[in-house]
Amino acid sequence: MKSFIVELSLTNEINLTWLAELILIIGSLWSICYALIFKRNSLLGSAIITLGWTILTMAIAYRWLRLGHGPFISMYEILLSNLWSLLLVWLGVYWINKTLRTVLLFLLPLFFLFMGWLLVSHPGEVFFPPTYQTLWLYVHVALGKLFFGSLMI
């Protein structure tokens, strides 16, 4: 029986991130155009955005497995995790609060800025300092992302 080994490479990770961003752009543009034309929200557009967020989650998990640490050291990783957390808060509010759905569409262009900034950032590997190997780093990052997403809304 052959063993199946997947090589974790930077190219595969970048391709997964680009796919997520492409799907996010399609879903965002669909949602915005649908709202402008039909004067109501599109569940298909938000479902596409949810799919893009899921693929972005896979890209972050892939990077975490490849490098052995979370996405919070380099500018690329910070932008990647910021985009992920902002989308998580956006999707949570979108799916829970139906009265804010139209207003939330105005935040979608903000994600385009984050995606563009992410695409021009250097995605290379970075060293994980031993001083960062503490539980408080994860608490700090989680609360910071929650704050950042809540501030956006």
Side-chain angles (χ1 to χ4, degrees):
M1 178 183 240
K2 289 185 175 182
S3 64
F4 181 72
I5 299 174
V6 176
E7 181 182 338
L8 299 175
S9 70
L10 180 61
T11 304
N12 291 339
E13 175 195 330
I14 291 173
N15 290 340
L16 199 57
T17 305
W18 274 82
L19 176 63
E21 291 190 12
L22 178 65
I23 292 172
L24 287 169
I25 289 171
I26 291 169
S28 298
L29 290 175
W30 176 269
S31 296
I32 291 169
C33 291
Y34 193 89
L36 289 173
I37 294 169
F38 297 108
K39 307 292 188 236
R40 59 186 176 143
N41 293 313
S42 168
L43 290 180
L44 176 62
S46 55
I48 294 170
I49 293 171
T50 304
L51 174 65
W53 177 83
T54 304
I55 295 173
L56 190 66
T57 303
M58 292 170 27
I60 290 175
Y62 190 91
R63 184 170 185 89
W64 200 320
L65 285 172
R66 192 172 66 77
L67 297 180
H69 63 80
F72 33 70
I73 303 298
S74 70
M75 179 57 76
Y76 178 82
E77 293 173 347
I78 291 168
L79 289 170
L80 187 65
S81 61
N82 279 348
L83 179 62
W84 181 87
S85 63
L86 289 175
L87 278 167
L88 177 65
V89 172
W90 188 91
L91 286 168
V93 173
Y94 188 90
W95 288 111
I96 292 171
N97 192 340
K98 293 180 181 180
T99 59
L100 288 179
R101 286 184 176 173
T102 305
V103 175
L104 288 173
L105 293 177
F106 289 102
L107 294 174
L108 290 175
L110 176 68
F111 297 132
F112 295 160
L113 294 174
F114 270 100
M115 287 185 271
W117 192 5
L118 178 66
L119 291 176
V120 298
S121 297
H122 179 64
E125 293 86 7
V126 293
F127 173 69
F128 190 69
T131 55
Y132 283 12
Q133 295 175 358
T134 175
L135 174 66
W136 290 110
L137 175 67
Y138 296 95
V139 172
H140 167 77
V141 169
L143 290 176
K145 301 299 180 189
L146 180 64
F147 169 75
F148 192 46
S150 300
L151 183 65
M152 177 194 66
I153 300 298

